[in-house]
Amino acid sequence: MEVRSEEAIRQLQALMDHVEERLMCTFQNVHQGYLAETLERFLKARDWNVSKAYKMLLDCLNWRVDNEIDMMLTKPIIPVDVYRAVRDSQLIGLSGYSREGLPVFAIGVGLGTFDKASVNYYVQSHIQINEYRDRVILPSASKKYGRPITTCVKLLTIISTIDDLNYPEKTNTYFIVNAPYIFSSCWKVVKPLLQERTRKKIQVLSGSGRDELLKIMDYSSLPHFCKREGSGSSRHSSDGDENCYSLDHPFHQQLYNYIKQQAVQESSRPIKQGSVHVSLPEPPADGAEIVKTIELELHK
């Protein structure tokens, strides 16, 4: 790490040493013992500007406290039929790990319908996956590989405002696969608008990208839609165990069971039905500009 980077981390840590106690408690859930790596993520997200990174981190911690994010893994979506409907219409899952130990998440952009439940259920589920990744998946991978693993790999994904502002720099590489023909024209227009560090993370692969992906992960870790020849990102698979989007996939089974167990440990009272309401952060101005550019290009 460069001397400049180390000094920025020290400065940010010195500022964090004086934040109020209620924020420090949730900050522990954010860094999970990897303090320097976490501070570096926020600094990268703000181009190593310490004051801007400090504000971003404080905003994130206040958002967590105000919305009780630390308790999100104790609030299962019930009954299970509602959660299955969410899983069938919000396509995201963990398909495996890269050879370096990074979790591989697949997201079915353009295939999720988000029409089986209220928006609050989808936001709740999205945050629960993020929190489970950060508090369970990544610490377990770090322990297994004997080194800090604080980022993941994403395939066929779109960055959301919640993730940008409250889970910054958690993705090592974005692989875009099975992109439709129109994507190439949109990408040419949008690419120059992205920050350089984001552009460097994005790789657009031909078709399903299987051959390229096999250079960094085993076949068993490929998402189901990358295992077959040709392109196309099928929403469903004949085998739920293979379809990483499905509630029947081991990742979602483990996640759901973990949340239910945490709910029982947290309270002896019956689990209440109903979604959790989380306030959504305002999208940054540059993000809104990118969306307008994409819409204009699609219109053309």
Side-chain angles (χ1 to χ4, degrees):
M1 186 180 296
E2 298 178 0
V3 175
R4 170 180 170 271
S5 304
E6 293 178 346
E7 178 59 28
I9 291 175
R10 282 195 292 268
Q11 291 178 17
L12 182 54
Q13 184 170 348
L15 292 172
M16 291 303 298
D17 288 341
H18 300 287
V19 302
E20 54 188 303
E21 184 63 27
R22 72 186 189 102
L23 299 184
M24 288 302 297
C25 290
T26 193
F27 187 41
Q28 291 175 0
N29 270 333
V30 172
H31 67 66
Q32 291 292 313
Y34 297 106
L35 179 59
E37 289 81 3
T38 300
L39 296 177
E40 183 179 1
R41 287 195 295 106
F42 281 85
L43 284 163
K44 283 182 178 179
R46 288 298 177 260
D47 295 322
W48 296 95
N49 184 303
V50 175
S51 60
K52 290 182 178 180
Y54 179 58
K55 181 183 184 305
M56 182 186 191
L57 184 47
L58 286 186
D59 288 345
C60 165
L61 298 181
N62 277 299
W63 173 79
R64 293 181 64 88
V65 171
D66 293 344
N67 292 280
E68 299 184 341
I69 301 301
D70 289 343
M71 301 300 294
M72 193 62 72
L73 292 180
T74 68
K75 300 176 180 179
I77 295 175
I78 58 172
V80 68
D81 289 346
V82 175
Y83 188 63
R84 183 176 292 279
V86 171
R87 290 277 54 82
D88 287 344
S89 52
Q90 181 190 44
L91 305 184
I92 181 173
L94 174 73
S95 64
Y97 295 81
S98 73
R99 294 194 179 96
E100 294 182 346
L102 276 64
V104 178
F105 282 88
I107 303 177
V109 175
L111 297 176
T113 57
F114 298 94
D115 60 352
K116 306 299 183 183
S118 72
V119 66
N120 290 335
Y121 278 118
Y122 290 111
V123 172
Q124 178 180 348
S125 173
H126 180 82
I127 294 175
Q128 285 177 336
I129 291 174
N130 281 350
E131 291 294 306
Y132 187 72
R133 174 199 64 198
D134 292 352
R135 295 197 234 167
V136 179
I137 297 293
L138 291 173
S140 296
S142 299
K143 183 177 181 180
K144 178 179 178 180
Y145 287 87
R147 62 181 180 82
I149 294 179
T150 58
T151 59
C152 63
V153 173
K154 289 186 180 180
L155 282 86
L156 196 62
T157 187
I158 286 179
I159 307 170
S160 73
T161 300
I162 286 178
D163 291 354
D164 286 351
L165 298 181
N166 299 295
Y167 303 91
E169 299 295 321
K170 294 298 293 189
T171 303
N172 182 277
T173 309
Y174 295 93
F175 291 105
I176 298 179
V177 300
N178 297 328
Y181 172 77
I182 196 173
F183 174 81
S184 59
S185 59
C186 289
W187 177 239
K188 291 177 182 178
V189 175
V190 172
K191 186 176 180 179
L193 301 178
L194 300 175
Q195 294 182 336
E196 183 180 1
R197 72 173 189 280
T198 302
R199 288 200 303 268
K200 290 180 177 179
K201 290 182 179 184
I202 299 174
Q203 296 187 36
V204 182
L205 305 183
S206 175
S208 68
R210 186 176 67 175
D211 293 341
E212 288 297 315
L213 293 173
L214 286 175
K215 295 177 181 178
I216 67 165
M217 67 184 74
D218 294 334
Y219 181 82
S220 60
S221 290
L222 290 175
H224 60 283
F225 54 81
C226 291
K227 289 183 176 180
R228 59 180 180 272
E229 296 287 351
S231 60
S233 181
S234 174
R235 176 187 295 181
H236 301 293
S237 172
S238 57
D239 188 348
D241 290 344
E242 286 290 325
N243 184 348
C244 63
Y245 299 149
S246 171
L247 176 57
D248 298 321
H249 188 272
F251 165 70
H252 285 299
Q253 285 291 306
Q254 293 165 10
L255 167 62
Y256 194 56
N257 289 333
Y258 178 89
I259 295 175
K260 289 193 295 183
Q261 291 169 4
Q262 294 297 308
V264 172
Q265 294 176 13
E266 181 65 26
S267 175
S268 59
R269 292 176 296 180
I271 301 173
K272 294 183 178 180
Q273 295 187 29
S275 61
V276 175
H277 177 74
V278 176
S279 61
L280 302 179
E282 289 293 326
D286 55 350
E289 180 64 27
I290 291 173
V291 171
K292 287 175 61 178
T293 302
I294 292 176
E295 290 176 344
L296 178 60
E297 194 65 23
L298 288 173
H299 180 71
K300 290 180 182 179

